[in-house]
Amino acid sequence: MQFPSPVSAQWLSEFINAKIEGNADAMATGINEIHRVQKGDIVFVDHPKYYDKCINSEATFIIINQSYKVPEGKTLLVCDEPFEAYQKITKHFRPFSPSMEMISTSASIHETAVIMPNVYIGNNVKIGEDAVIHPNVTIYDNVTIGKHVEIHSGTVIGGDAFYYNTKKNRDVWYKKMHTCGEVLIEDYVEIGANCTIDRGVSAVTKIGQGTKIDNLVQIGHDVIVGKNCLFASQVGIAGGCTIGDGVTMWGQVGISKTLNIGDNVMVMGKSGVATDLKAGNTYFGSPAIDFTAKRREYVMLKRLPEIWEAVRKIQSTDGGR
Amino acid sequence: MQFPSPVSAQWLSEFINAKIEGNADAMATGINEIHRVQKGDIVFVDHPKYYDKCINSEATFIIINQSYKVPEGKTLLVCDEPFEAYQKITKHFRPFSPSMEMISTSASIHETAVIMPNVYIGNNVKIGEDAVIHPNVTIYDNVTIGKHVEIHSGTVIGGDAFYYNTKKNRDVWYKKMHTCGEVLIEDYVEIGANCTIDRGVSAVTKIGQGTKIDNLVQIGHDVIVGKNCLFASQVGIAGGCTIGDGVTMWGQVGISKTLNIGDNVMVMGKSGVATDLKAGNTYFGSPAIDFTAKRREYVMLKRLPEIWEAVRKIQSTDGGR
Amino acid sequence: MQFPSPVSAQWLSEFINAKIEGNADAMATGINEIHRVQKGDIVFVDHPKYYDKCINSEATFIIINQSYKVPEGKTLLVCDEPFEAYQKITKHFRPFSPSMEMISTSASIHETAVIMPNVYIGNNVKIGEDAVIHPNVTIYDNVTIGKHVEIHSGTVIGGDAFYYNTKKNRDVWYKKMHTCGEVLIEDYVEIGANCTIDRGVSAVTKIGQGTKIDNLVQIGHDVIVGKNCLFASQVGIAGGCTIGDGVTMWGQVGISKTLNIGDNVMVMGKSGVATDLKAGNTYFGSPAIDFTAKRREYVMLKRLPEIWEAVRKIQSTDGGR
C-alpha cells in the first residue's frame, strides 16, 4: 500500500511508540510485505530468523522487535510488537469502512459498462469501458477493473488475504494481518462464475491482459498473473505466486505459495505444483515434474510386476546354486 | 435434533403407525443419525446389515422394519418404512418453512455485528458481538455464529446435508433425508469467500474457536472441527468427520467421510485422505500416508530405471551361464 | 442452437459475405459445435487439420476459409474468417441482451415453485412444479428446470462456455466464442450450493432425472449427465463430456473434456480421469485406471525397498563370482 503522502520517521516512531535507529530523516512512502516490498516502503519483522532478509530487502524502514545493526540509509523502528505496529499503521491509512450501499458512491464506473442486478461494488472501485458484471458478483474495496472485462455471477473480487500472525502460546493462535492491498484486473480479462480473487495483503493482486479464467478458480493474495493465461475450472493459486505470460493450467491444478511459473508453461490437469517451473515446459503430477519424465515414471511403474518376478526368479536360482 | 420437549413412545407409535416392542414407557428427547446418536435419541434402520449397530448404539428408540430382540431399556418401533417414518418425524418438528425476508424476523443479531448488503439470514439464526458478514452471504435456518467471527462474500452456511436414502429398484434412486440439524460457528472463526458449510443431518456441524478457513472450502454435514485449525483454499471435508485441534490442511486437500483426524495433524497440499490420521504427524499423497514414508516412496520410484537396468543385466548374465 | 425458423443458403451467404459451394438450395435449421452437430446444422472450421472431420460430420452447412471438395448434398460457405461468421450468426439469433430485472418478465415459473429472496432469473427461463430455488442463486438466460428440482444458494446455472478461438499471433490470444446454447435440468435433480453449470456453446448442457450434485461442483458446457448420478463435492467435469446413468463420482474427481463415462461407473475420490471409462467398473488414481489394477500398483510400490535390497544383494554376489 502506498500512503496518500510520504510519512516521516518521526511521525511513525511516535504513532507506533518505537525507537528510531539509523536514518531519522527518512520518509516512508508506503508499507508492504516482504515478497513485494519496494524502496521507500516499511516492512515489519518479529523473528530473528527473518531479520537479515527484511533488513537487506528493498525496504527503507524496518519495524523490528530489538536493536540491530543498521545498513547505511535505512531506518529501524524498534518496538515490542512489530505485528501490532503494522496493524495500527495499515488500519490508520486504510481502515475497514464497509460501504452499506449496493454500489458505493465512491465507485467510478464507465458509462458503457453493464452492471447487472444484485452486484455489490465497494469503495474506490473503478470499472472500465464495456465491462460486463453479471448478477450476484461481489467487488470489495480498492479494485480496478479494465476495459472489455467480463465477470460472471457469484465471483468475489478483492476478499481479504488469508495471511495470519501465528503464535501457538495464546488462546487464539492466528491473528489476521489487516489486508490493505488492491486488485488490478487488466483489459480483456474474463473471469468465470464463483471464483475468488483475494486482494494483496499490502501490495496488489494482478490479472494480466487477455487472461481467461474458468469457474471456481482461486487466486490468492498478491499473485501476479501475466498476459494471455488460460486457467481451467477449480484451479487454485496460493498467495504470492508470480505466473508468466501465456501460461495454461488445466482443471484442478494447484500451485503452492510464492512460486514462480515461467512464460508459456503448461500444467496438466490435477497437478500439484510445489516448485518453480521453467518457461516453455509441460508439467504433470503431484508433485508436478516434467511431463516426459512423469510418463517415463509410469512406464517403469507398469514394469514393476515383471521386475518383481525377475528378482524372485533370480533369487530362487541363486538359492539353488 | 432435540425435540422442544420429550415425546412418548405411545405418541410416536401412533404418529408413524408403528408397533412398540420393549419399553413402552420411554420418552424420546430427539432424533439423530447413527454417527452422532445420543441417549434418549431415536434412530432408524431398514437393512439387516445395520440392525445390531443401531440397536447397540446409544439410541433409546430404534425405528426398524421387522421384529427383533430388544435389549433391556430400549424401545423398538416396528413399521414397514423406517425411512419414511424418520422423514415424517423430522419434518413435523422442523419443517422446511422458507423465510421470504432477506433477514428473518426470528433471527437474533447482536447490535455490534456488521451485516453488509444482500446478506440472507434465515430463521432462528443467532449472530454474536462484532461479527462481520460480507455481502451476498447466505445463512440458512438454525445457524449460530459466535463473537468476532468474519464470513466473506458468497459463502453459504447451513445448506442441506448431501445424504440420501438409496434404492436402485425405483425410478428415482436417491431420496434425500430431510435435514433437521444445525451449524455452530464458534468465536474468532474466519471463513473465506464462496465456502459451503452444510448443517448436520440431524446433529450439529461445528467449527471450533479460532479456526481459519480460506476460500472455496467445503465442510460436509455433521463435521466437527476443533479449535485453531487452518484450512487453505479448496479443501473439502466429507460428512461426519471429526477434526482435532490445531490441524492444518493445505490447498485442495480432501478428507473422506466419517474419518478422525488427530490434534495437530498437518496434511500437505492436494492430499486425499482415506483413513484416520494420528495426532501430531504430517501426511501427504493420495491416498495420504506418513510424509516421510511418502518421500521414501519417491526416492525408490526414482531408482526404478536403475533397478530395471540391473535386473536386465543380471538376467542376461544368468542367461549366459 | 436451433433457429426460430429455417434459414436459406442464400440469406446466409449474404449475411456473412461467403461464397456458396455445393447445394445452394439447402436450408439451415441451426448452428452447432462439432461435438454436438446434427443434420441441418451449420458448423465452422478454419484449420485444414479439422476440414475433413467437419465436412464429414452430420452438419449440412460448413463455414470454411477455403474452397474444398463438397460431398453430395452438403453446402460450403467459403469466407475469410469462419470464426467471425459464427459469431455474427449466433449473436444475430441469440444476442446477449441482459435482463436488468431480478426475475425476467419472460421467465415462466410454475405457481407451486418456491423462489427465495435474491434469486436472479434471466430471459426465457422455465421453472417447473414444486421446484425450490434457494437465496442468491443466479440463473442465466435459456435455462429449463424441471419438477421437484432443488437448487441451493450461490449456485450459478447457465454461465458462458469456457471456449475460445485461439491465435497466438495477436495481442489478445483468446477470443471467446459467443455462447448461444442452453441448460436443461430434468425432474428430481438436486444441486448443492455454489455450483457452476455452464450452458452449451451452441447445444445443450443436460442433467438427467434424479441426479444429485453436492456443493462446489463444476459442470462444463455441453456436458450430458445421465439419470440417477451422484456427484460429491468439488467434482469437476470439463466441457463436452457424456456421463451415463447411475454414475457415482466421489469428492474432488476431475474429468477431462469430451470423454465418455459408461453407465454405473464409480470413480473414487480425487481421481483425475483422462480417458473414456467402461460401464460398470470402478476407477481410481490420476490418471485414473481400474481400481483393482491401481491397488496392485500400490502393493508393488510397497515392495520396492525389498526389490532394491534384493537387486543390490544379487549384484554384490555376482560381483564376487
Side-chain angles (χ1 to χ4, degrees), chain B residues 295-319:
Chain B
R295 250 199 330 222
R296 240 181 281 128
E297 209 178 276
Y298 277 117
V299 169
M300 279 297 162
L301 218 51
K302 296 279 177 250
R303 283 179 185 159
L304 256 181
E306 192 186 338
I307 293 174
W308 173 247
E309 280 313 310
V311 166
R312 281 176 58 182
K313 204 175 150 192
I314 294 162
Q315 282 179 317
S316 75
T317 309
D318 279 10

Short mmCIF file of all heavy atoms in Angstrom, two decimals, chain B residues 295-319:
data_model
loop_
_atom_site.label_atom_id
_atom_site.label_comp_id
_atom_site.label_asym_id
_atom_site.label_seq_id
_atom_site.Cartn_x
_atom_site.Cartn_y
_atom_site.Cartn_z
N ARG B 295 7.97 -39.73 1.08
CA ARG B 295 9.22 -39.25 0.49
C ARG B 295 10.12 -40.42 0.12
O ARG B 295 10.75 -40.42 -0.93
CB ARG B 295 9.94 -38.30 1.44
CG ARG B 295 9.88 -36.90 0.88
CD ARG B 295 10.88 -35.95 1.44
NE ARG B 295 11.26 -36.20 2.79
CZ ARG B 295 11.42 -35.25 3.70
NH1 ARG B 295 11.17 -34.00 3.38
NH2 ARG B 295 11.82 -35.54 4.92
N ARG B 296 10.16 -41.43 0.99
CA ARG B 296 10.96 -42.62 0.70
C ARG B 296 10.43 -43.32 -0.56
O ARG B 296 11.21 -43.77 -1.39
CB ARG B 296 10.94 -43.56 1.91
CG ARG B 296 12.33 -43.81 2.49
CD ARG B 296 12.30 -44.76 3.66
NE ARG B 296 11.87 -44.10 4.89
CZ ARG B 296 10.90 -44.51 5.70
NH1 ARG B 296 10.22 -45.61 5.42
NH2 ARG B 296 10.61 -43.84 6.79
N GLU B 297 9.13 -43.35 -0.68
CA GLU B 297 8.50 -43.95 -1.86
C GLU B 297 8.98 -43.24 -3.13
O GLU B 297 9.26 -43.88 -4.14
CB GLU B 297 6.98 -43.79 -1.71
CG GLU B 297 6.15 -44.85 -2.37
CD GLU B 297 4.66 -44.62 -2.10
OE1 GLU B 297 4.17 -45.06 -1.04
OE2 GLU B 297 3.99 -43.97 -2.93
N TYR B 298 9.07 -41.91 -3.07
CA TYR B 298 9.53 -41.15 -4.24
C TYR B 298 10.98 -41.47 -4.57
O TYR B 298 11.35 -41.60 -5.73
CB TYR B 298 9.37 -39.64 -4.02
CG TYR B 298 7.99 -39.16 -4.31
CD1 TYR B 298 7.19 -38.61 -3.31
CD2 TYR B 298 7.45 -39.26 -5.60
CE1 TYR B 298 5.90 -38.19 -3.58
CE2 TYR B 298 6.16 -38.84 -5.87
CZ TYR B 298 5.40 -38.30 -4.86
OH TYR B 298 4.12 -37.89 -5.12
N VAL B 299 11.78 -41.58 -3.53
CA VAL B 299 13.20 -41.91 -3.75
C VAL B 299 13.30 -43.25 -4.47
O VAL B 299 14.04 -43.40 -5.45
CB VAL B 299 13.96 -41.95 -2.40
CG1 VAL B 299 15.36 -42.54 -2.58
CG2 VAL B 299 14.02 -40.56 -1.80
N MET B 300 12.53 -44.22 -4.02
CA MET B 300 12.53 -45.55 -4.64
C MET B 300 12.06 -45.47 -6.09
O MET B 300 12.63 -46.11 -6.98
CB MET B 300 11.59 -46.48 -3.85
CG MET B 300 12.23 -47.06 -2.62
SD MET B 300 13.67 -48.10 -3.06
CE MET B 300 14.51 -48.17 -1.49
N LEU B 301 11.02 -44.69 -6.31
CA LEU B 301 10.47 -44.51 -7.65
C LEU B 301 11.54 -43.98 -8.61
O LEU B 301 11.65 -44.43 -9.75
CB LEU B 301 9.30 -43.51 -7.56
CG LEU B 301 8.08 -43.75 -8.43
CD1 LEU B 301 7.56 -45.17 -8.28
CD2 LEU B 301 6.99 -42.76 -8.04
N LYS B 302 12.34 -43.09 -8.12
CA LYS B 302 13.41 -42.50 -8.94
C LYS B 302 14.49 -43.54 -9.26
O LYS B 302 15.23 -43.42 -10.23
CB LYS B 302 14.06 -41.31 -8.21
CG LYS B 302 13.13 -40.15 -7.98
CD LYS B 302 12.98 -39.29 -9.22
CE LYS B 302 11.99 -38.14 -9.00
NZ LYS B 302 10.75 -38.31 -9.74
N ARG B 303 14.60 -44.54 -8.40
CA ARG B 303 15.62 -45.58 -8.61
C ARG B 303 15.15 -46.67 -9.58
O ARG B 303 15.91 -47.57 -9.92
CB ARG B 303 15.97 -46.26 -7.28
CG ARG B 303 16.87 -45.44 -6.42
CD ARG B 303 17.15 -46.17 -5.11
NE ARG B 303 17.92 -45.34 -4.22
CZ ARG B 303 17.98 -45.51 -2.90
NH1 ARG B 303 17.30 -46.49 -2.34
NH2 ARG B 303 18.71 -44.71 -2.16
N LEU B 304 13.88 -46.63 -9.96
CA LEU B 304 13.31 -47.70 -10.78
C LEU B 304 14.07 -47.94 -12.08
O LEU B 304 14.35 -49.11 -12.42
CB LEU B 304 11.83 -47.42 -11.06
CG LEU B 304 10.85 -48.25 -10.24
CD1 LEU B 304 9.43 -47.90 -10.62
CD2 LEU B 304 11.07 -49.74 -10.48
N PRO B 305 14.44 -46.89 -12.83
CA PRO B 305 15.18 -47.15 -14.07
C PRO B 305 16.48 -47.91 -13.79
O PRO B 305 16.84 -48.83 -14.52
CB PRO B 305 15.48 -45.74 -14.60
CG PRO B 305 14.42 -44.88 -14.00
CD PRO B 305 14.13 -45.47 -12.65
N GLU B 306 17.14 -47.55 -12.69
CA GLU B 306 18.39 -48.22 -12.29
C GLU B 306 18.12 -49.69 -11.95
O GLU B 306 18.86 -50.59 -12.36
CB GLU B 306 18.95 -47.48 -11.06
CG GLU B 306 20.36 -47.85 -10.69
CD GLU B 306 20.77 -47.16 -9.37
OE1 GLU B 306 20.15 -46.13 -9.01
OE2 GLU B 306 21.69 -47.67 -8.71
N ILE B 307 17.04 -49.93 -11.22
CA ILE B 307 16.67 -51.31 -10.85
C ILE B 307 16.38 -52.11 -12.12
O ILE B 307 16.84 -53.24 -12.30
CB ILE B 307 15.43 -51.31 -9.92
CG1 ILE B 307 15.79 -50.69 -8.57
CG2 ILE B 307 14.86 -52.72 -9.74
CD1 ILE B 307 14.61 -50.51 -7.62
N TRP B 308 15.63 -51.50 -13.01
CA TRP B 308 15.26 -52.15 -14.27
C TRP B 308 16.52 -52.57 -15.06
O TRP B 308 16.62 -53.71 -15.52
CB TRP B 308 14.40 -51.18 -15.08
CG TRP B 308 14.05 -51.60 -16.47
CD1 TRP B 308 14.47 -51.03 -17.64
CD2 TRP B 308 13.18 -52.68 -16.86
NE1 TRP B 308 13.93 -51.67 -18.72
CE2 TRP B 308 13.13 -52.69 -18.28
CE3 TRP B 308 12.45 -53.64 -16.14
CZ2 TRP B 308 12.38 -53.63 -18.99
CZ3 TRP B 308 11.72 -54.56 -16.85
CH2 TRP B 308 11.68 -54.55 -18.27
N GLU B 309 17.47 -51.65 -15.16
CA GLU B 309 18.73 -51.94 -15.87
C GLU B 309 19.48 -53.09 -15.19
O GLU B 309 19.98 -54.00 -15.85
CB GLU B 309 19.63 -50.69 -15.91
CG GLU B 309 19.25 -49.69 -16.99
CD GLU B 309 19.03 -50.34 -18.35
OE1 GLU B 309 19.90 -51.12 -18.80
OE2 GLU B 309 17.95 -50.12 -18.95
N ALA B 310 19.54 -53.01 -13.86
CA ALA B 310 20.26 -54.03 -13.10
C ALA B 310 19.65 -55.41 -13.31
O ALA B 310 20.37 -56.39 -13.56
CB ALA B 310 20.26 -53.66 -11.61
N VAL B 311 18.32 -55.47 -13.25
CA VAL B 311 17.63 -56.75 -13.43
C VAL B 311 17.90 -57.31 -14.81
O VAL B 311 18.21 -58.49 -14.99
CB VAL B 311 16.11 -56.60 -13.17
CG1 VAL B 311 15.34 -57.81 -13.66
CG2 VAL B 311 15.86 -56.37 -11.69
N ARG B 312 17.82 -56.43 -15.82
CA ARG B 312 18.07 -56.89 -17.19
C ARG B 312 19.50 -57.41 -17.36
O ARG B 312 19.74 -58.40 -18.03
CB ARG B 312 17.82 -55.77 -18.19
CG ARG B 312 16.33 -55.60 -18.45
CD ARG B 312 16.04 -54.45 -19.37
NE ARG B 312 16.72 -54.59 -20.65
CZ ARG B 312 16.67 -53.67 -21.63
NH1 ARG B 312 15.99 -52.56 -21.43
NH2 ARG B 312 17.30 -53.87 -22.77
N LYS B 313 20.43 -56.71 -16.73
CA LYS B 313 21.84 -57.10 -16.83
C LYS B 313 22.07 -58.47 -16.16
O LYS B 313 22.72 -59.35 -16.72
CB LYS B 313 22.71 -56.04 -16.15
CG LYS B 313 24.14 -56.03 -16.68
CD LYS B 313 24.93 -54.89 -16.06
CE LYS B 313 26.38 -55.27 -15.97
NZ LYS B 313 27.14 -54.32 -15.13
N ILE B 314 21.48 -58.60 -14.96
CA ILE B 314 21.63 -59.88 -14.25
C ILE B 314 21.01 -61.01 -15.06
O ILE B 314 21.59 -62.08 -15.21
CB ILE B 314 20.95 -59.80 -12.86
CG1 ILE B 314 21.68 -58.79 -11.97
CG2 ILE B 314 20.90 -61.16 -12.19
CD1 ILE B 314 20.89 -58.32 -10.77
N GLN B 315 19.82 -60.73 -15.62
CA GLN B 315 19.14 -61.76 -16.42
C GLN B 315 20.02 -62.18 -17.59
O GLN B 315 20.16 -63.37 -17.86
CB GLN B 315 17.81 -61.22 -16.96
CG GLN B 315 16.71 -61.23 -15.91
CD GLN B 315 15.41 -60.68 -16.47
OE1 GLN B 315 15.43 -59.67 -17.18
NE2 GLN B 315 14.30 -61.31 -16.14
N SER B 316 20.64 -61.23 -18.29
CA SER B 316 21.44 -61.58 -19.47
C SER B 316 22.71 -62.32 -19.04
O SER B 316 23.15 -63.25 -19.70
CB SER B 316 21.77 -60.33 -20.28
OG SER B 316 22.77 -59.59 -19.64
N THR B 317 23.28 -61.94 -17.89
CA THR B 317 24.45 -62.66 -17.36
C THR B 317 24.07 -64.10 -17.01
O THR B 317 24.74 -65.05 -17.40
CB THR B 317 24.95 -61.96 -16.07
OG1 THR B 317 25.13 -60.58 -16.35
CG2 THR B 317 26.27 -62.55 -15.63
N ASP B 318 22.90 -64.19 -16.30
CA ASP B 318 22.42 -65.52 -15.92
C ASP B 318 22.18 -66.38 -17.17
O ASP B 318 22.52 -67.57 -17.21
CB ASP B 318 21.10 -65.42 -15.15
CG ASP B 318 21.39 -65.06 -13.70
OD1 ASP B 318 22.54 -64.73 -13.41
OD2 ASP B 318 20.45 -65.12 -12.88
N GLY B 319 21.56 -65.72 -18.16
CA GLY B 319 21.25 -66.42 -19.39
C GLY B 319 22.51 -66.98 -20.05
O GLY B 319 22.48 -68.01 -20.72
#
